[in-house]
Amino acid sequence: MNHPAGADPHAARRAGPARKQWHGAVARGAIALVWFYEGWWCKVWPGRADQRAIVGDVPFLADGAQTAALVAIGLAEVALGLWVLTGRRARSAAVVQTVLVAGFNAGGLLFSPGQIQEPGRMLTQNLAFVVLIWMVSRKSEEAVGQ
Protein backbone atom coordinates (compact mmCIF):
# COMPACT_ATOMS: atom_id res chain seq x y z
CA MET A 1 0.00 0.00 0.00
CA ASN A 2 1.37 3.44 -0.91
CA HIS A 3 1.36 6.19 1.68
CA PRO A 4 1.74 9.90 1.02
CA ALA A 5 5.21 11.25 1.67
CA GLY A 6 5.75 11.83 5.36
CA ALA A 7 2.68 9.82 6.38
CA ASP A 8 3.16 7.32 9.16
CA PRO A 9 1.89 3.93 7.93
CA HIS A 10 1.47 2.76 11.54
CA ALA A 11 -0.46 5.76 12.80
CA ALA A 12 -3.77 3.90 12.73
CA ARG A 13 -2.34 1.19 14.97
CA ARG A 14 -1.05 3.58 17.58
CA ALA A 15 -3.15 3.74 20.69
CA GLY A 16 -5.12 6.95 20.88
CA PRO A 17 -6.86 7.98 24.11
CA ALA A 18 -10.04 6.02 23.38
CA ARG A 19 -8.10 2.89 22.49
CA LYS A 20 -5.95 3.16 25.62
CA GLN A 21 -9.08 3.47 27.76
CA TRP A 22 -10.58 0.42 26.05
CA HIS A 23 -7.42 -1.62 26.62
CA GLY A 24 -7.32 -0.51 30.25
CA ALA A 25 -10.93 -1.52 30.78
CA VAL A 26 -10.28 -4.97 29.29
CA ALA A 27 -7.18 -5.45 31.47
CA ARG A 28 -9.07 -4.34 34.60
CA GLY A 29 -11.88 -6.68 33.58
CA ALA A 30 -9.46 -9.62 33.40
CA ILE A 31 -8.19 -8.89 36.91
CA ALA A 32 -11.73 -8.41 38.21
CA LEU A 33 -12.76 -11.76 36.71
CA VAL A 34 -10.09 -13.49 38.78
CA TRP A 35 -11.46 -11.87 41.95
CA PHE A 36 -15.06 -12.70 40.97
CA TYR A 37 -14.15 -16.33 40.30
CA GLU A 38 -12.06 -16.74 43.44
CA GLY A 39 -14.59 -14.89 45.60
CA TRP A 40 -17.97 -15.93 44.33
CA TRP A 41 -17.44 -19.32 42.73
CA CYS A 42 -14.68 -20.71 44.95
CA LYS A 43 -15.86 -19.41 48.31
CA VAL A 44 -19.55 -18.43 48.20
CA TRP A 45 -21.48 -20.42 45.61
CA PRO A 46 -21.05 -23.30 45.22
CA GLY A 47 -17.69 -23.09 46.98
CA ARG A 48 -14.76 -25.44 46.61
CA ALA A 49 -13.80 -28.17 49.06
CA ASP A 50 -10.11 -27.22 49.00
CA GLN A 51 -10.92 -23.61 49.93
CA ARG A 52 -13.15 -24.82 52.77
CA ALA A 53 -10.40 -27.18 53.99
CA ILE A 54 -7.75 -24.44 53.91
CA VAL A 55 -9.91 -22.02 55.91
CA GLY A 56 -10.86 -24.88 58.24
CA ASP A 57 -7.17 -25.41 59.05
CA VAL A 58 -6.69 -21.85 60.35
CA PRO A 59 -5.95 -22.46 64.05
CA PHE A 60 -7.48 -19.31 65.52
CA LEU A 61 -10.78 -19.66 63.62
CA ALA A 62 -13.57 -20.77 65.95
CA ASP A 63 -15.35 -24.03 65.25
CA GLY A 64 -18.37 -23.41 63.07
CA ALA A 65 -17.02 -20.09 61.77
CA GLN A 66 -15.63 -21.65 58.61
CA THR A 67 -18.65 -20.91 56.41
CA ALA A 68 -19.02 -17.36 57.67
CA ALA A 69 -15.30 -16.72 57.11
CA LEU A 70 -15.44 -18.13 53.58
CA VAL A 71 -18.49 -16.05 52.67
CA ALA A 72 -16.93 -12.89 54.14
CA ILE A 73 -13.66 -13.45 52.28
CA GLY A 74 -15.52 -14.29 49.09
CA LEU A 75 -17.73 -11.21 49.21
CA ALA A 76 -14.69 -9.05 49.96
CA GLU A 77 -12.99 -10.50 46.87
CA VAL A 78 -16.06 -9.71 44.75
CA ALA A 79 -16.08 -6.15 46.11
CA LEU A 80 -12.38 -5.85 45.30
CA GLY A 81 -13.12 -6.96 41.73
CA LEU A 82 -15.75 -4.21 41.46
CA TRP A 83 -13.22 -1.65 42.76
CA VAL A 84 -10.69 -2.80 40.17
CA LEU A 85 -13.27 -2.36 37.41
CA THR A 86 -13.75 1.30 38.31
CA GLY A 87 -10.07 2.11 37.77
CA ARG A 88 -10.27 4.57 40.67
CA ARG A 89 -7.46 4.83 43.19
CA ALA A 90 -5.67 2.15 41.20
CA ARG A 91 -2.48 2.26 43.25
CA SER A 92 -4.41 1.77 46.49
CA ALA A 93 -6.30 -1.11 44.89
CA ALA A 94 -3.01 -2.65 43.78
CA VAL A 95 -1.62 -2.42 47.32
CA VAL A 96 -4.73 -4.07 48.76
CA GLN A 97 -4.64 -6.81 46.12
CA THR A 98 -0.94 -7.47 46.69
CA VAL A 99 -1.40 -7.71 50.46
CA LEU A 100 -4.36 -10.06 50.05
CA VAL A 101 -2.63 -12.33 47.54
CA ALA A 102 0.50 -12.49 49.71
CA GLY A 103 -1.59 -13.08 52.84
CA PHE A 104 -3.71 -15.79 51.25
CA ASN A 105 -0.61 -17.53 49.89
CA ALA A 106 1.24 -17.30 53.19
CA GLY A 107 -1.79 -18.44 55.18
CA GLY A 108 -2.41 -21.41 52.93
CA LEU A 109 1.22 -22.50 53.00
CA LEU A 110 1.56 -21.94 56.75
CA PHE A 111 -1.72 -23.38 58.04
CA SER A 112 -2.70 -25.89 55.38
CA PRO A 113 0.28 -26.97 53.27
CA GLY A 114 -1.25 -30.41 52.64
CA GLN A 115 -4.22 -28.86 50.84
CA ILE A 116 -2.09 -27.07 48.24
CA GLN A 117 -1.08 -29.67 45.68
CA GLU A 118 1.45 -27.58 43.76
CA PRO A 119 2.77 -24.68 45.86
CA GLY A 120 5.32 -23.67 43.23
CA ARG A 121 2.63 -23.36 40.56
CA MET A 122 0.39 -21.38 42.91
CA LEU A 123 3.19 -18.96 43.79
CA THR A 124 4.26 -18.56 40.16
CA GLN A 125 0.71 -17.87 38.96
CA ASN A 126 0.08 -15.42 41.77
CA LEU A 127 3.37 -13.62 41.13
CA ALA A 128 2.33 -13.17 37.49
CA PHE A 129 -1.10 -11.98 38.67
CA VAL A 130 0.44 -9.40 41.00
CA VAL A 131 2.74 -8.14 38.23
CA LEU A 132 -0.31 -7.72 35.97
CA ILE A 133 -2.13 -5.89 38.78
CA TRP A 134 0.70 -3.37 39.11
CA MET A 135 1.08 -2.89 35.35
CA VAL A 136 -2.65 -2.21 35.00
CA SER A 137 -2.58 0.03 38.07
CA ARG A 138 0.10 2.20 36.52
CA LYS A 139 -1.75 2.45 33.21
CA SER A 140 -5.04 3.20 34.99
CA GLU A 141 -3.46 6.04 36.94
CA GLU A 142 -1.93 7.48 33.75
CA ALA A 143 -5.31 7.31 31.99
CA VAL A 144 -7.29 9.07 34.72
CA GLY A 145 -4.45 11.32 35.87
CA GLN A 146 -4.38 10.15 39.48
Side-chain angles (χ1 to χ4, degrees), residues 118-139:
E118 296 182 54
R121 179 179 53 88
M122 176 191 73
L123 293 172
T124 302
Q125 288 175 337
N126 284 327
L127 177 61
F129 183 52
V130 168
V131 168
L132 175 63
I133 287 167
W134 281 98
M135 290 175 66
V136 171
S137 164
R138 181 172 176 203
K139 292 298 179 186

Side-chain angles (χ1 to χ4, degrees), residues 31-120:
I31 293 168
L33 279 174
V34 172
W35 288 114
F36 296 157
Y37 171 77
E38 290 292 332
W40 186 255
W41 185 260
C42 294
K43 294 179 183 73
V44 177
W45 184 81
R48 288 184 22 188
D50 62 330
Q51 299 280 322
R52 180 171 291 284
I54 290 168
V55 171
D57 286 344
V58 175
F60 49 83
L61 189 62
D63 290 339
Q66 180 181 36
T67 299
L70 274 172
V71 169
I73 292 168
L75 293 177
E77 288 177 331
V78 170
L80 184 54
L82 292 172
W83 181 13
V84 170
L85 280 177
T86 70
R88 297 289 178 200
R89 301 190 48 90
R91 185 174 296 150
S92 297
V95 169
V96 169
Q97 291 174 89
T98 302
V99 168
L100 286 177
V101 169
F104 290 155
N105 280 254
L109 292 171
L110 181 65
F111 300 130
S112 195
Q115 296 295 333
I116 300 169
Q117 293 181 5
E118 296 182 54

